[in-house]
């Protein structure tokens, strides 16, 4: 699911579009592998068991339903959430949209941004990700976690906010 270009104003263009860092998908992928392996082991035991007929069918259905429920909740939901989360910097605003069934979002006009900072620890630095913190005119600072290449995003955002004195956009 791409970023909806139709929410942009006339003449507004996207400078940067990011989804959260792929590290958000590591745990769901591990869960997928473990749950699938456990279902495979259960299926192997069932095949070598003395169950037959209706009892065997019921256990197959239980294994399949439990596997599917766990995969949907612990793998597909985070994957879809990751895919539908957008951090977008345009030449006029910062936009953040997230959610699957219930969408939420925030727009921060560039003129209202007072400061931009980033934070990342050792693991985040190795993965080239981090938290971007934006302080606007009248609101508490907003934190955006797991922004890929957070230093580059910080630099671009700083450029868009503070280096545009002449009104020209150089991206």
């Amino acid at each position: 699911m791409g970023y909806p270009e139709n929410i942009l104003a006339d003449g507004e263009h996207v400078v940067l579009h990011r989804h959260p860092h792929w590290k958000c998908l590591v745990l769901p992928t591990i869960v997928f592998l473990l749950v699938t392996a456990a279902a495979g082991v259960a299926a192997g035991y069932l095949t070598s068991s003395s169950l037959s007929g209706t009892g065997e069918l019921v256990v197959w259905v239980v294994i399949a339903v439990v596997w599917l429920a766990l995969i949907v909740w612990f793998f597909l939901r985070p994957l879809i959430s990751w895919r539908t989360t957008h951090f977008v910097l345009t030449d006029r605003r910062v936009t953040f949209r997230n959610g699957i069934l219930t969408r939420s979002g925030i727009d921060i006009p560039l003129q209202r941004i007072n400061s931009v900072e980033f934070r990342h620890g050792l693991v985040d630095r190795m993965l080239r990700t981090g938290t971007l913190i934006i302080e606007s005119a009248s609101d508490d600072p907003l934190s955006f976690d797991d922004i890929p290449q957070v230093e580059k995003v910080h630099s671009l955002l700083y450029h868009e906010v503070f280096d545009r004195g002449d009104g020209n956009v150089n991206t």
Side-chain angles (χ1 to χ4, degrees):
M1 173 182 262
Y3 182 72
E5 298 287 331
N6 62 349
I7 71 166
L8 299 177
D10 290 337
E12 183 177 18
H13 73 275
V14 173
V15 175
L16 178 84
H17 176 209
R18 295 275 195 261
H19 293 285
H21 194 268
W22 57 263
K23 80 173 189 174
C24 300
L25 299 176
V26 170
L27 186 59
T29 301
I30 291 170
V31 168
F32 173 80
L33 295 172
L34 291 175
V35 168
T36 301
V41 168
Y45 280 130
L46 181 60
T47 302
S48 65
S49 74
S50 61
L51 280 176
S52 62
T54 305
E56 183 180 21
L57 179 62
V58 167
V59 175
W60 275 111
V61 169
V62 167
I63 291 171
V65 167
V66 168
W67 177 84
L68 184 62
L70 291 173
I71 293 304
V72 166
W73 189 255
F74 292 108
F75 180 71
L76 288 179
R77 184 182 55 85
L79 179 66
I80 293 169
S81 177
W82 173 83
R83 187 73 177 119
T84 59
T85 299
H86 302 274
F87 179 86
V88 178
L89 170 62
T90 73
D91 58 339
R92 296 182 189 172
R93 60 186 164 157
V94 173
T95 302
F96 182 78
R97 301 277 189 271
N98 68 335
I100 299 172
L101 297 176
T102 304
R103 300 278 298 159
S104 63
I106 186 167
D107 292 347
I108 307 167
L110 294 182
Q111 309 90 298
R112 296 200 53 192
I113 294 177
N114 291 335
S115 69
V116 181
E117 60 183 279
F118 68 91
R119 224 181 288 139
H120 54 179
L122 180 62
V123 173
D124 283 343
R125 283 197 324 253
M126 290 189 305
L127 294 175
R128 300 177 62 197
T129 185
T131 300
L132 187 69
I133 300 141
I134 300 174
E135 185 178 334
S136 62
S138 63
D139 299 327
D140 291 333
L142 296 170
S143 293
F144 301 98
D145 297 325
D146 300 321
I147 301 294
Q149 298 177 330
V150 70
E151 290 184 48
K152 178 182 177 186
V153 174
H154 173 266
S155 176
L156 279 171
L157 182 54
Y158 186 86
H159 169 73
E160 288 295 320
V161 171
F162 299 109
D163 290 347
R164 295 182 63 213
D166 61 358
N168 292 332
V169 178
N170 300 320
T171 57

